[in-house]
Amino acid sequence: MGIHETLSAGMKLTLSAAVAVGLGLTAIAADAKELKVQASSKAGDWAHRFMTDNWAPKLGVMSGGAVSIDVLPTKAVVPHRETIDAVANGILDGDLNAVSYFSGRDPAFAIIGDLIAGYDTVDQVRTFCMHAGGKEILQKLYDKYTKGKVHVVGCGPYAKEAFVSPIPINTVADMKGVKVRSPEGLAAEGFKRAGAAPVALPFSEVYTALEKGVIDAADASAHVNNNASGMYKVAKYPIYPVIHSMAVLQFIVNKKVWDKLGPDGQTALEVWYASAYDAMRREADLQDRAIAAEQNAGDDITVIDWSTEERAKFREIAVGAWNDFAAKSPLAQEALDAHLNYMKSVGLLK
């Protein structure tokens, strides 16, 4: 074969490869999927901006354009307690919502969603969710209540939640009679047993409720979210670090949508989720600490840090609520047993 024939053959191969790549990119573009998911945060919150501005754009890059995500604020499509039905029925592709919102359907959602006063760090809860049985129990719940129409990508908190209040609450005894915003289920039961009067409200309504005196205090959100929402204009006595809550957020996807993504798209989504929430966790912790330090240095806001003794009292109250909730359904008991096994394995319980 002469040099011209060789070059001609090489050019044909290059052209064929280019056409193949072009066809492949066209196929990717044609099959590209934008996931519409609804989050628990409202537009303008730090957490929502973190996802939409910083991390949502990365999924398209990571997947070569095959998968992208549109993170909608709470209530954008359906009320916050109805997202799992919307995902199961294909109205939403997925949600990034708080698990405890669904406690009314099965107490297991409460135990997975926030084992009130149970853990010391966000890492512990996230490890339980992703590696010690939490995600699997959540999948069992969705297999039961959506008849297999929902796939659980992951779960875990990204921050310790601050407790915001216009009045100082320094002890368990100070909780008596306090109208406190709390998610339904286990968290509400824990506050009730401590003497408070729980009120169910979405986070988006907390500021107005505090301002108008509808509630006296709130199990709210991360310090950074509360600060971005202007919460400390009306709640001058935050309790930080957390005494109670590390709310678990889930990432669920409609099962048909999940299957259509295929192995590559599924892996991209799993890696994106893990990376996004690890980044959010670290950033939220740094900003929470900085905000608390600034508040402690000023005269306008008093940051309350409960003593070890008072924290222990609250945990003892919470343990009774754990056991009573676990007795309400087989999956709730399975969820608590998984928690307790993990807590023993890392030295939180004997």
Side-chain angles (χ1 to χ4, degrees), residues 36-40 74-75 77-110 112-113 137-155 184 248-257:
K36 297 281 186 183
V37 305
Q38 186 171 302
S40 61
T74 185
K75 300 181 181 178
V77 178
V78 296
H80 61 289
R81 292 191 186 90
E82 296 178 14
T83 56
I84 57 177
D85 302 306
V87 173
N89 295 324
I91 297 168
L92 288 167
D93 295 313
D95 85 11
L96 292 162
N97 209 355
V99 176
S100 60
Y101 283 155
F102 313 114
S103 300
R105 305 186 186 215
D106 192 298
F109 281 110
I112 293 296
I137 292 168
L138 197 55
Q139 185 65 66
K140 286 184 179 182
L141 281 163
Y142 284 119
D143 288 344
K144 178 178 180 179
Y145 289 102
T146 71
K147 299 181 180 179
K149 294 180 180 179
V150 164
H151 174 80
V152 178
V153 179
C155 56
E184 293 179 59
V248 171
L249 304 180
Q250 63 186 13
F251 184 20
I252 60 171
V253 176
N254 176 277
K255 184 63 165 58
K256 289 181 180 179
V257 170

Side-chain angles (χ1 to χ4, degrees), residues 152-186:
V152 178
V153 179
C155 56
Y158 71 87
K160 298 177 179 180
E161 297 204 340
F163 189 89
V164 298
S165 177
I167 58 175
I169 300 174
N170 294 287
T171 65
V172 173
D174 290 342
M175 286 274 186
K176 188 173 181 179
V178 172
K179 291 180 291 184
V180 56
R181 176 267 179 179
S182 172
E184 293 179 59
L186 188 57

